[in-house]
Amino acid sequence: MRDVLDDDLAELYPVRATDDVRLARLREQLFAEKPRSRSRRWVGIAAAAVAVVMITGLVVLLRPVSRDAPATLPVKPAASLQEAATLLEVARQPTAKYQRITYRIWQVMGVGDPYASSAIEFEYVVWLPTAADEMVVIYRRATGGQRPVAGARRPVEDFTNYSRNPSLWESFCASTPCKEETAGQPLSTEPARRLDDAAAAMLSPFTTNEEKAALYRRLAESPQVRWDDGKVSADGGTTMFTVDPATGQVTGMEQHKATDPRMPSDTMTTSVTVTTEWTDQRPS
């Protein structure tokens, strides 16, 4: 057997006739090695599954995931409106039946004789189907939450019975496909008003990712529109949006538009928090 092994080793490691010593060392080294156990091999494979793999200069961290979870690479958080627009454009298409969008709104309302104003809390919930020719379901309600702003405290009903509910977007949609009509409208040439003009399209559940990405880029054309770790504001403006740097989606809005002299000038007149999730269930 060793003669056969010598021939094989000689083919793998060409040696000169005078290198019998080297050939003997190779043979002895081979016979001296013990076969690796299967358990040790599996330990090595398991360790490799959580290792950092280098592929053509790209670092990918492999980690256990659920069987049905999509394979995704880490995404660098956006550092500008332009980068947030790119995140929206490359976002994975949903597989669930409905997009459930919840708006938590604080709206300042006033009533007279005697005058009083309070921030009243509302909740809007939208179930937006992903398929065509499906009914859109929207629930709107006042939660009963109240924050007095000026004057005597009055019941929530005094405000909600005599004032319109907050209007966050302009379009009406009974069934899919839906269209937010303000998404493509021109923005003011005054930088301070550009975010006001964009508010309806930024908050509307009917604005597509592509339309919102285009809107981000139009806003970013103005140097006075600033990005600060997801907070989007304009010099001299009264509206500020919060954009999630990880997804590019709008998660909130604040407005300071106190027009009644009986209210403090720095009053936050509207505050909106937006949360989005995907589901296969909705109310009938």
Side-chain angles (χ1 to χ4, degrees), residues 183-194:
Q185 290 183 358
L187 301 177
S188 173
T189 56
E190 299 179 30
R193 295 180 51 191
R194 290 176 73 83

Side-chain angles (χ1 to χ4, degrees), residues 257-269:
K257 291 185 174 182
T259 57
D260 193 312
R262 292 170 291 187
M263 284 190 295
S265 59
D266 61 346
T267 300
M268 184 187 298
T269 52

Side-chain angles (χ1 to χ4, degrees), residues 61 63-74 91-96 278:
L61 179 62
R63 56 187 177 186
V65 295
S66 65
R67 178 180 299 179
D68 298 326
T72 58
L73 293 176
R92 187 171 61 91
Q93 294 299 314
T95 57
W278 296 94

Side-chain angles (χ1 to χ4, degrees), residues 17 53 70 90 110 141 144 152 161 165 176 183 230-231 233 245 251 262 269-270 276 281:
V53 181
V90 301
R141 71 183 184 96
N161 288 343
N165 289 344
T176 53
K231 296 186 183 301
S233 59
T251 59
R262 292 170 291 187
T269 52
T270 305
T276 303
Q281 302 293 328

Side-chain angles (χ1 to χ4, degrees), residues 3-20:
D3 293 336
V4 175
L5 179 61
D6 286 346
D7 294 338
D8 292 339
L9 287 173
E11 292 180 3
L12 291 173
Y13 301 93
V15 295
R16 296 187 300 272
T18 56
D19 276 353
D20 292 339

Side-chain angles (χ1 to χ4, degrees), residues 78-80 226-233 240-245 251:
S80 65
R226 306 189 183 281
W227 169 283
D228 181 13
D229 195 23
K231 296 186 183 301
V232 182
S233 59
M240 182 188 76
F241 285 95
T242 303
V243 175
D244 183 359
T251 59

Side-chain angles (χ1 to χ4, degrees), residues 5 18-20 23 37 43 49 59 69 72-73 85 91 97-98 116 137 147 154 161 175 184 192 199 226 241 256 269:
L5 179 61
T18 56
D19 276 353
D20 292 339
L23 187 62
S37 67
V43 169
V59 180
T72 58
L73 293 176
K97 294 181 180 179
Y98 307 101
V137 176
R147 298 171 182 168
R154 299 179 63 163
N161 288 343
S175 63
R226 306 189 183 281
F241 285 95
H256 295 75
T269 52

